[in-house]
Amino acid sequence: MPNSVVLLNVHADRIDAEVQIPLSELQAAFGYAVNDSSAGLVDRLGSQLRSYLAKHIRPQTPDGRYWVVNVGALGVQETQNAINGPYRELTAQIRLIPPPGADIRRFTFYYDVVLHQVVTHKILVSVRQDWARGLLPESGADAPLDQVGAIELDIVNNRILPLSVNLATGSVWTGFVSMVRLGMNHIAEGTDHLLFLLVLLLPAPLLVQRKTGRRASWGRFGGVRYSLRRLLLIITAFTLGHSLTLLAGATGWVRLPGQPVEMLIAVSILVSAIHAVRPLFPGREVWVAAGFGLVHGLAFASTLANLDLDGGRMALSILGFNVGIELMQLIVIALTMPWLILLSLGTFYSTVRVTGAILAGIAALAWLTERATGQPNPLTVLVASLTQFAPWLLGALALLALVSWWLPVIRKPSSL
Amino acid sequence: MKTNFFYRNLLLLSLLLALLAIDACKTTTDPVVTSGASISTIACASATFSTTAVSGATYTGTATVPYTGGNGVAYGAGTAVGSTGVTGLNAILQAGTLASGAGNLTYSINGTPSSSGIAAFALSFGGQTCTLSLAVGGTSSGTVTANSSAVTTALSVTASANATCNAQTGLAKVVCLTEAFKATLTATQLATTQLTYSKANAQKWSNLPASLSSRIGISLGSLNSTQLAAFRDLMVAVLTTGGLDEGYDEMLGNMVADDYLATIGGGSGYGAANFYIAVLGTPSTTGLWSILFTGHHYTQPFTFNAGAVTGVTPAFRAVEPAAVVTGANRSYQPIEQERAAFAAMLTGLSSTEQTTAKLSSTFSDVVLGPGKDGQFPAIKAGLRVGDLSAAKQALVLNAIKLYVSDLDANTATASTILAKYTSDLANTYIAYSGTTAVASQNDYVRIDGPGVWIEFSYQGGVIVRNTPHPHSVWRDHTGDYGGN
């Protein structure tokens, strides 16, 4: 029979626990037919469920003082595993607050939901998030959990013992470093952020050509100094933009729903792709970068907001996360820009630039469709699978740059 | 104006009809509302039911009863007609309009049948009466058909492929047949099958499919027909033959059921091909060695030492589905006899005895399943068998026998163990949780003696959802893994 799961999110002054209880097991212990008729369960029996949970979840300090237990949101979901097949479970968000002065990391966990009656039941307790130990739930449900222990019947003595919880102490430094790592991963795995940045930088080394009576177009290479200066300005503007909204979003001042933000990010890639083909906003790239930075920052913020941190830890997290983002951006730029500059000196940079921009534009449109409809399409699946070949793509770029550099040299004798 | 007049008349007419109908209700003693409905024949014998009924399980279904000579009149819903014979069910006529001629009446049937047999309903409608009969099966007797796999088909043969060893008796015969089985294997297969004896190896059994909890030894799916025949010869030497759903037959039926699970959604991780046999230690009539046969719902070890059988536990007996399965040329319901024996044992008790035997906790599985070695409760719970009448004690022994008698007479294993459990009987305790019918989800039975430990759990379905299936484990306080 499926077991219960208790997932602890350890904060500075409280633990937020998510409890998952299989309804088939709960039914036998709770006295209502919760599994036979699970529709509208929370509406019908919410208050009974809350008082039942509060009665059977009792953390206690080592010196015998009980913690405050607040039962929050309840829900019913269908889940499954290989052993038990599909089944329904109750999820409950429980806030556990130690009495003043008590250690958040050391307590006796009296928990016998279901188990007080169904003695074959088992409860697995794990830590899902512990900032100070650098444990973050960002990789989703598949991430290995830090198992604390199991609560089950002591068969020999026919009794249920509480679980003695003694979590390793963490540190502010560990928490900070894990946030830097999180920021770096976020860029490394966030193909859309990377693509935006790369496409924005595609025309950066070039001068704008203006002929009277005709629309502006991209001209020749503007020189290394010119390229680096523009690059620096664009990157800085983007950073300022996303830092601002990251701060605002993570602290809860601004909270936008995810879907429009994600769609705007796709739009930002599309706009910069068009700009890379033909200058849309020549000379104002910095402002555009800053503006779209604001959008991207909102997406970064949702990652942090989901951690539900408070005060000082949130401030450190924003700083660490931003440092991680910057580090990864710099690494990407350092890896790609030399080759783009080299390419822009050669003869077929315009082909490379336009091809790159068109591909990015197609990807942006695919993302836009995916994010508007909520359905992945073959193109987004393809892009997602291409990311694993990133080192090879970088290698191809380097090769292309070298070929374009050497080609005129090879051709010279024949043109004589 | 003309239409207005028409509607007013219609209203008046329907009011009049309604009054007539109410009047008809008052005057008739017939529980069925007929109000002028008449038929010339009703054919209960030709009735069909939407679903089959099972003893002790909630039944919700409809019966369709044909009639002839209907007069086209509308009729209302009837009142409940209780079942006789097998009680606990009610049939209620559903409202409708008679055909002008032949048609069908629909009765909804609800309730929980008290036992297996025939539930009879005395129906009366439109001047005709008949008795509607619904067959109520024993627990989960709905038959399912399995496609038997190559493995179970090969194992269902009854003739021995081995002439040499059959001349021998006792443990020497088991050793001979084990060696004969090993001799059919390739060098690679043999290396997989013949392992060293260690308790750690002996403990590698589970009640999960092998795909979810890996076993040691060689899978039956990887054996050819010659090798399977040699495997069969070995197993019939250590398990009883000739009994239906007991001994070797119970093992085979269990594998047929697992073949069925593979075909209805369990997938390739299920089925007889995923049952494993391992030989731990070198077979001999002097040393320590064992045979471990383990698959999803069936595990049976045999530990031998110094020329004797020293342990046949922990043995796991379970099956899904609980219903009859057909395959390998037969129908099987491998754990039904055990379930029925427990029900007979519990229902045989007086209500006072039942109160003493009843545990307040709920059990959704056995307590001492795989991995729970040596964790017998310090204090035995429930009712002491020694305090019961001889007849009731016999019912306890009957249940125990269904486990012990799976083992063969060749090595005198069954009789030796049974003699011990019989002499232990007075100090053996029985306990249960749930209902005494052992037919509902979370029904649980335990026999805990100085030696014997048997648990039976009727638990929620996994592949066959919402239908309970049995798990049971047989352990011995001192004899698990041959006392090692």
Side-chain angles (χ1 to χ4, degrees), chain A residues 91-357:
Chain A
T91 59
Q93 310 300 327
I94 318 263
R95 178 157 289 183
L96 310 169
I97 305 160
D103 188 351
I104 191 103
R105 303 187 160 270
R106 257 189 83 210
F107 59 95
T108 309
F109 199 22
Y110 285 93
Y111 178 111
D112 65 353
V113 177
V114 177
L115 185 58
H116 68 94
Q117 176 62 34
V118 183
V119 291
T120 44
H121 195 64
K122 185 174 181 178
I123 298 113
L124 297 176
V125 182
S126 304
V127 174
R128 180 160 64 179
Q129 181 186 323
D130 186 351
W131 189 88
R133 281 195 294 150
L135 277 171
L136 299 169
E138 50 111 19
S139 320
D142 300 333
L145 292 165
D146 182 48
Q147 180 132 7
V148 179
I151 304 172
E152 59 188 322
L153 177 73
D154 168 4
I155 302 166
V156 176
N157 302 301
N158 195 32
R159 62 185 174 178
I160 297 158
L161 294 175
L163 180 67
S164 185
V165 179
N166 195 354
L167 303 173
T169 42
S171 71
V172 170
W173 175 246
T174 314
F176 179 77
V177 169
S178 74
M179 294 313 298
V180 173
R181 203 176 301 126
L182 183 66
M184 292 181 73
N185 284 343
H186 200 77
I187 288 296
E189 288 160 13
T191 322
D192 49 354
H193 299 301
L194 269 181
L195 204 58
F196 170 73
L197 207 62
L198 289 177
V199 176
L200 198 62
L201 295 178
L202 263 182
L206 304 180
L207 293 169
V208 178
Q209 229 172 12
R210 286 176 202 278
K211 285 181 184 155
T212 42
R214 290 184 60 184
R215 285 180 51 200
S217 63
W218 292 113
R220 59 181 176 81
F221 178 59
V224 174
R225 244 181 95 94
Y226 169 84
S227 302
L228 288 179
R229 199 178 98 84
R230 279 180 30 109
L231 221 130
L232 200 69
L233 281 173
I234 292 172
I235 295 293
T236 311
F238 181 66
T239 302
L240 281 176
H242 74 63
S243 299
L244 202 66
T245 41
L246 172 63
L247 190 69
T251 49
W253 296 336
V254 181
R255 195 87 195 250
L256 284 183
Q259 198 194 8
V261 171
E262 293 295 317
M263 284 174 66
L264 269 176
I265 287 173
V267 169
S268 74
I269 300 167
L270 188 63
V271 169
S272 49
I274 296 169
H275 180 68
V277 178
R278 220 167 235 287
L280 282 180
F281 35 81
R284 295 190 298 278
E285 284 93 342
V286 172
W287 293 106
V288 173
F292 281 130
L294 292 173
V295 176
H296 285 245
L298 286 173
F300 297 153
S302 66
T303 306
L304 285 192
N306 288 341
L307 296 180
D308 209 13
L309 300 168
D310 35 29
R313 286 182 172 189
M314 187 49 113
L316 277 172
S317 298
I318 294 170
L319 184 65
F321 192 63
N322 224 356
V323 166
I325 287 172
E326 293 325 315
L327 275 175
M328 203 60 200
Q329 277 179 6
L330 288 177
I331 290 171
V332 170
I333 287 162
L335 284 174
T336 51
M337 270 337 274
W339 308 118
L340 284 184
I341 289 175
L342 202 59
L343 268 170
S344 65
L345 291 170
T347 46
F348 51 79
Y349 186 56
S350 63
T351 319
V352 171
R353 173 173 54 83
V354 172
T355 312

Side-chain angles (χ1 to χ4, degrees), chain B residues 273-316:
Chain B
N274 299 299
F275 283 57
Y276 287 73
I277 179 161
V279 178
L280 308 180
T282 311
S284 81
T285 53
T286 53
L288 169 65
W289 67 287
S290 91
I291 297 168
L292 174 58
F293 179 63
T294 175
H296 176 202
H297 271 147
Y298 190 97
T299 289
Q300 181 60 59
F302 298 90
T303 310
F304 309 96
N305 198 7
V309 178
T310 52
V312 287
T313 54
F316 200 83

Side-chain angles (χ1 to χ4, degrees), chain A residues 1 25 117 119-120 152 155-156, chain B residues 360 362 364-365 372 375 378:
Chain A
M1 295 301 107
E25 297 275 282
Q117 176 62 34
V119 291
T120 44
E152 59 188 322
I155 302 166
V156 176
Chain B
S360 59
T362 306
S364 58
D365 202 345
K372 302 287 186 186
Q375 292 190 33

Side-chain angles (χ1 to χ4, degrees), chain B residues 80-100:
Chain B
V81 178
S83 61
T84 55
V86 173
T87 56
L89 292 170
N90 282 309
I92 302 172
L93 175 69
Q94 300 300 292
T97 305
L98 287 176
S100 296

Side-chain angles (χ1 to χ4, degrees), chain A residues 1 24-25 28-29 35 78 82-88 116-122 152-158, chain B residues 208 212 270 360-368 372 374-379 441-442 459-462 465 469:
Chain A
M1 295 301 107
S24 59
E25 297 275 282
N35 191 44
E78 177 102 8
I83 291 170
N84 301 292
Y87 62 94
R88 288 181 299 272
H116 68 94
Q117 176 62 34
V118 183
V119 291
T120 44
H121 195 64
K122 185 174 181 178
E152 59 188 322
L153 177 73
D154 168 4
I155 302 166
V156 176
N157 302 301
N158 195 32
Chain B
L208 297 176
L212 297 174
Y270 290 77
S360 59
S361 295
T362 306
F363 298 80
S364 58
D365 202 345
V366 297
V367 172
L368 296 182
K372 302 287 186 186
Q375 292 190 33
F376 302 98
I379 298 167
Q441 184 166 334
N442 293 347
Q459 57 188 261
V462 174
R465 257 186 119 175
H469 73 290

Side-chain angles (χ1 to χ4, degrees), chain B residues 96-448:
Chain B
T97 305
L98 287 176
S100 296
N104 292 309
L105 296 174
T106 303
Y107 288 83
S108 75
I109 299 181
N110 295 292
T112 307
S114 57
S115 60
S116 60
I118 301 291
F121 304 90
L123 302 185
S124 172
F125 182 87
Q128 302 298 321
T129 59
C130 73
T131 302
L132 177 68
S133 300
L134 170 62
V136 178
T139 302
S140 305
S141 69
T143 301
V144 291
T145 303
N147 296 316
S148 51
S149 63
V151 173
T152 49
T153 306
L155 295 182
S156 66
V157 298
T158 48
S160 173
N162 189 304
T164 325
C165 298
N166 285 342
Q168 305 195 37
T169 56
L171 186 50
K173 184 176 176 181
V174 177
V175 172
C176 178
L177 287 165
T178 309
E179 291 297 353
F181 168 64
K182 282 167 62 182
T184 64
L185 303 176
T186 67
T188 323
Q189 286 176 322
L190 185 60
T192 310
T193 312
Q194 177 64 66
L195 305 167
T196 53
Y197 183 89
S198 70
K199 191 174 176 188
N201 273 343
Q203 284 172 314
K204 284 177 184 156
W205 62 279
S206 170
N207 61 358
L208 297 176
S211 52
L212 297 174
S213 177
S214 66
R215 305 300 206 276
I216 53 170
I218 193 158
S219 72
L220 299 190
S222 65
L223 301 181
N224 65 28
S225 57
T226 311
Q227 294 162 340
L228 281 173
F231 165 77
R232 181 223 162 251
D233 290 340
L234 171 59
M235 292 314 281
V236 298
V238 288
L239 294 168
T240 45
T241 51
L244 283 186
D245 289 326
E246 290 302 320
Y248 180 80
D249 203 58
E250 181 175 323
M251 178 201 90
L252 190 54
N254 185 289
M255 290 159 73
V256 168
D258 224 53
D259 281 343
Y260 172 69
L261 292 185
T263 64
I264 60 157
S268 60
Y270 290 77
N274 299 299
F275 283 57
Y276 287 73
I277 179 161
V279 178
L280 308 180
T282 311
S284 81
T285 53
T286 53
L288 169 65
W289 67 287
S290 91
I291 297 168
L292 174 58
F293 179 63
T294 175
H296 176 202
H297 271 147
Y298 190 97
T299 289
Q300 181 60 59
F302 298 90
T303 310
F304 309 96
N305 198 7
V309 178
T310 52
V312 287
T313 54
F316 200 83
R317 300 281 190 274
V319 72
E320 186 178 20
V324 174
V325 283
T326 63
N329 313 317
R330 269 272 313 287
S331 287
Y332 297 92
Q333 199 172 11
I335 310 297
E336 176 59 13
Q337 273 138 293
E338 284 78 355
R339 190 202 64 77
F342 285 119
M345 175 184 95
L346 293 176
T347 50
L349 301 175
S350 72
S351 59
T352 324
E353 287 161 349
Q354 285 179 353
T355 308
T356 312
K358 185 151 186 169
L359 302 168
S360 59
S361 295
T362 306
F363 298 80
S364 58
D365 202 345
V366 297
V367 172
L368 296 182
K372 302 287 186 186
D373 296 327
Q375 292 190 33
F376 302 98
I379 298 167
K380 298 189 195 307
L383 180 68
R384 188 173 168 270
V385 178
D387 297 337
L388 298 175
S389 70
K392 290 172 185 178
Q393 292 195 16
L395 291 175
V396 178
L397 202 57
N398 279 350
I400 294 175
K401 275 182 190 165
L402 288 171
Y403 290 81
V404 180
S405 302
D406 285 336
L407 310 174
D408 86 302
N410 171 48
T411 49
T413 311
S415 56
T416 313
I417 295 170
L418 202 58
K420 177 177 183 332
Y421 288 173
T422 309
S423 71
D424 282 350
L425 202 58
N427 291 318
T428 299
Y429 285 71
I430 57 172
Y432 79 103
S433 171
T435 70
T436 53
V438 198
S440 308
Q441 184 166 334
N442 293 347
D443 280 355
Y444 171 84
V445 191
R446 178 190 296 176
I447 298 177
D448 185 8

